[in-house]
């Protein structure tokens, strides 16, 4: 498969380069040249396969010919055999036609594991083949950091540095990063905010010499391989509920638009998706966009669903590209306007197309707590706040009650115990395998908000790897 940049000013590249580079050199995002698709018989056959087999089938058209399906089967079985639930992404029934898709059975209890665990091993595979090494640098406000660390720990070709704002992530989130005992994992606590951490990472990438000598790369949510790996659970959920003979609707708690875009990919590949519901908290730029046709940036406000406290949804550019019939000049114009003024509008005909598939809504913290309480009373299930935003908006926005509604459960309730307890009176327990988290020793270096000092630290640690 060849990949094109949404901005049209970069040469087409193959999967391995897309994997290792993330962003295209023209500032665009990569998309496959064509959408591979499955016929009804093939989709129906997925219903009887284990998760890792479906993962290999769904991803193979995107990774080939460089990475073959047999390699993907090995990688996917190594990853998903380690997950806590035998069906990997189980469906739990919440109401007569409402389902919860549990995506929190990976090592860090959030859906990001489902893709990042695959991406870590794909990096390893490609780097070993090429005899190369990379340095991954990431900023985190909580969840992404631990998922990236778990995905990269002990991988021979990777050194990973994760910056978090000191004292501004929860204790569970911090310990999920700092208790990882792996020589290639480096935690950096920054005296500052998450925005400071992001600016530090940006500065490292902006320093061309440092970037080249450290072979910096990212595993952020614009990496295409993450999207491809996320399309898998839409397919397994859809076929479990009767696809391809029966359509299905998904409701997705959304921040960067990566997860819900993977649902769009599954639909492009032939899954009969009737509706994709974009659920946001008060940081509702996407909900406002789908209502008004204007994308308008606002202030980030903190909520009880912090992984969605985002105002710029990077992956939206991919959707825009497809809906303007893959005209890169139109994407360039829109993104340039947005960068300059914080606002862009989309033609009425494009909006009409998007609204045929996508609906959106928002929930504030009170409404979210009410959804958590109500679902607990009715069914005994504890939803984390992100999941509750998704399910609440999903029920409001679903068009056809006869079509199964799948709400994506993106985090385990025990990752946000205070919010869940405040809503229900019940405190969710960490799964047994994570109980040691609160007693294991922590490894973390604290730095002032000082780019030079942090770069020197990164250089020093990479140098030690070279010497080892
Ligand atoms: C990252 C995250 C989201 C948002 O997903 P996007 O792909 O950025 O839209 C939602 N819920 C949880 C728990 C997350 O960690």
């Amino acid at each position: 498969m060849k990949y094109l940049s949404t901005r049209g000013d970069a040469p087409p590249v193959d999967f391995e380069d897309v994997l290792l580079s993330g962003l295209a050199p023209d500032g665009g995002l990569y998309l496959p040249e064509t959408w591979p698709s499955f016929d009804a018989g093939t989709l129906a056959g997925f219903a009887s396969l284990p998760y890792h087999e479906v993962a290999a089938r769904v991803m193979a058209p995107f990774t080939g010919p460089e990475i073959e399906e047999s390699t993907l089967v090995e990688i996917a079985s190594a990853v998903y055999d380690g997950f806590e639930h035998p069906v990997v992404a189980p469906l739990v029934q919440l109401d007569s036609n409402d389902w919860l898709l549990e995506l929190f059975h990976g090592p860090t209890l959030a859906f990001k594991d489902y893709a990042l665990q695959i991406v870590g091993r794909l990096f390893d595979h490609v780097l070993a083949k090429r005899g190369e090494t990379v340095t991954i640098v990431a900023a985190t406000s909580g969840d992404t950091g631990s998922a990236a660390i778990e995905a990269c720990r002990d991988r021979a070709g990777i050194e990973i540095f994760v910056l978090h704002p000191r004292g501004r992530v929860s204790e569970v989130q911090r310990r999920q990063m700092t208790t990882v005992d792996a020589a290639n994992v480096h935690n950096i606590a920054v005296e500052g905010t998450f925005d400071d951490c992001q600016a530090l990472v940006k500065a490292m990438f902006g320093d061309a010499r440092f970037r080249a000598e450290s072979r910096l790369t990212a595993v952020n949510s614009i990496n295409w391989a993450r999207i491809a790996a996320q399309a898998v659970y839409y397919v397994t959920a859809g076929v479990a509920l009767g696809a391809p003979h029966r359509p299905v609707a998904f409701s997705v708690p959304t921040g960067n638009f990566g997860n819900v875009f993977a649902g769009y990919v599954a639909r492009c590949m032939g899954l009969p998706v009737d509706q994709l519901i974009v659920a946001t908290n008060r940081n509702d730029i996407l909900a406002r966009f789908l209502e008004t046709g204007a994308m308008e940036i606002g202030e980030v406000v903190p909520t009880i669903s912090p992984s969605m406290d985002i105002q710029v949804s990077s992956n939206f550019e991919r959707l825009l590209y497809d809906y303007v019939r893959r005209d890169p000049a139109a994407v360039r114009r829109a993104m340039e306007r947005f960068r300059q003024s914080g606002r862009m509008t989309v033609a009425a005909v494009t909006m009409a197309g998007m609204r045929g598939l996508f609906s959106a809504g928002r929930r504030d913290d009170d409404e979210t707590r009410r959804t958590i309480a109500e679902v607990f009373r009715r069914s005994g299930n504890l939803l984390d706040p992100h999941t509750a935003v998704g399910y609440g908006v999903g029920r409001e926005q679903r068009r056809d009650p006869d079509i199964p509604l799948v709400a994506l459960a993106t985090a385990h309730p025990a990752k946000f115990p205070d919010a869940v307890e405040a809503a229900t009176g019940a405190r969710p327990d960490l799964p047994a395998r994570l109980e040691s988290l609160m007693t294991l020793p922590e490894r973390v270096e604290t730095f002032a908000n000082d780019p030079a000092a942090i770069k020197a630290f990164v250089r020093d640690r990479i140098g030690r790897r070279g010497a080892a």
Side-chain angles (χ1 to χ4, degrees):
M1 178 68 78
K2 286 283 180 210
Y3 289 82
L4 309 175
S5 165
T6 51
R7 309 253 174 119
D9 261 340
V13 292
D14 63 20
F15 176 78
E16 290 189 359
D17 287 318
V18 166
L19 174 75
L20 296 182
S21 61
L23 200 68
D26 61 358
L29 277 63
Y30 285 117
L31 269 186
E33 201 169 34
T34 57
W35 292 121
S37 87
F38 298 115
D39 58 33
T42 306
L43 272 177
F46 288 168
S48 56
L49 294 180
Y51 189 90
H52 71 265
E53 292 271 357
V54 181
R57 302 278 174 93
V58 170
M59 294 186 71
F62 296 116
T63 64
E66 303 92 56
I67 300 177
E68 294 173 6
E69 190 173 307
S70 56
T71 306
L72 288 174
V73 171
E74 276 169 39
I75 289 177
S77 64
V79 164
Y80 297 119
D81 285 357
F83 279 37
E84 204 57 16
H85 197 289
V87 303
V88 182
L91 284 163
V92 170
Q93 189 158 16
L94 283 185
D95 210 331
S96 60
N97 216 8
D98 299 3
W99 303 81
L100 204 60
L101 178 61
E102 290 185 352
L103 300 174
F104 50 66
H105 297 289
T108 75
L109 311 179
F111 85 96
K112 292 185 174 73
D113 290 329
Y114 286 69
L116 276 168
Q117 287 286 317
I118 292 280
V119 168
R121 283 177 194 262
L122 283 173
F123 260 78
D124 225 24
H125 173 79
V126 173
L127 292 170
K129 194 163 92 180
R130 296 184 171 191
E132 293 175 7
T133 57
V134 293
T135 302
I136 289 174
V137 199
T140 187
S141 56
D143 279 351
T144 313
S146 56
I149 285 172
E150 284 293 343
C152 296
R153 63 180 296 172
D154 301 317
R155 308 241 154 263
I158 303 176
E159 213 68 21
I160 179 168
F161 296 82
V162 175
L163 284 65
H164 71 264
R166 194 173 100 84
R168 291 175 197 245
V169 300
S170 78
E171 184 175 12
V172 170
Q173 286 176 323
R174 188 191 71 240
R175 286 180 163 276
Q176 280 189 306
M177 298 190 279
T178 58
T179 60
V180 172
D181 184 19
N184 70 330
V185 170
H186 311 281
N187 281 289
I188 298 177
V190 175
E191 301 284 5
T193 64
F194 171 58
D195 286 342
D196 294 330
C197 294
Q198 271 195 311
L200 285 162
V201 169
K202 243 183 143 172
M204 285 191 251
F205 276 91
D207 178 341
R209 197 167 137 217
F210 180 76
R211 179 179 182 164
E213 72 185 24
S214 316
R215 295 201 46 94
L216 284 197
T217 186
V219 288
N220 51 19
S221 81
I222 53 128
N223 195 300
W224 169 257
R226 281 180 67 175
I227 308 270
Q230 287 170 6
V232 176
Y233 45 72
Y234 287 90
V235 173
T236 59
V239 298
L241 292 172
H245 311 296
R246 195 173 172 220
V248 57
F250 293 94
S251 183
V252 189
T254 297
N256 237 323
F257 208 77
N259 201 3
V260 70
F261 188 76
Y264 173 77
V265 172
R267 182 173 186 266
C268 292
M269 297 181 82
L271 190 74
V273 177
D274 178 68
Q275 200 183 2
L276 288 169
I277 299 166
V278 178
T280 72
N281 60 29
R282 279 181 58 209
N283 298 288
D284 62 349
I285 182 168
L286 288 167
R288 284 185 283 118
F289 168 74
L290 279 159
E291 284 156 14
T292 65
M295 183 83 82
E296 218 164 345
I297 202 164
E299 280 280 292
V300 177
V301 293
T303 71
I304 59 169
S305 45
S307 298
M308 292 149 55
D309 293 348
I310 284 176
Q311 281 289 347
V312 179
S313 301
S314 330
N315 275 292
F316 176 78
E317 184 169 337
R318 290 190 157 114
L319 188 75
L320 182 63
Y321 179 70
D322 246 23
Y323 273 91
V324 296
R325 300 207 176 81
R326 301 196 152 209
D327 172 8
V331 173
R332 274 201 306 273
R333 277 196 303 273
M335 298 316 294
E336 185 54 24
R337 237 177 284 132
F338 188 63
R339 195 182 62 79
Q340 282 177 358
S341 67
R343 185 174 196 276
M344 70 168 163
T345 53
V346 168
V349 52
T350 309
M351 278 320 297
M354 286 187 187
R355 286 182 185 131
L357 177 61
F358 291 89
S359 314
R362 69 184 65 71
R363 281 289 178 279
D364 67 21
D365 285 353
D366 282 338
E367 293 166 323
T368 304
R369 280 188 281 261
R370 278 204 290 279
T371 302
I372 298 174
E374 193 238 317
V375 170
F376 182 59
R377 257 198 322 273
R378 192 156 47 85
S379 70
N381 286 288
L382 289 175
L383 306 189
D384 102 280
H386 305 78
T387 304
V389 167
Y391 185 45
V393 172
R395 271 188 307 186
E396 171 193 277
Q397 293 289 330
R398 84 191 305 174
R399 284 194 282 244
D400 183 346
D402 291 333
I403 291 177
L405 173 70
V406 177
L408 272 59
T410 51
H412 192 287
K415 282 204 98 165
F416 302 93
D418 298 335
V420 173
E421 185 175 22
T424 61
R427 191 162 181 90
D429 291 325
L430 278 174
R433 74 200 140 98
L434 285 178
E435 272 167 10
S436 62
L437 200 63
M438 303 318 270
T439 52
L440 286 172
E442 297 189 68
R443 290 168 61 243
V444 57
E445 309 276 339
T446 302
F447 280 93
N449 182 4
D450 175 356
I454 293 174
K455 274 190 220 167
F457 174 71
V458 171
R459 270 202 196 95
D460 174 67
R461 292 301 147 109
I462 300 173
R464 290 190 200 186
R465 170 182 64 190

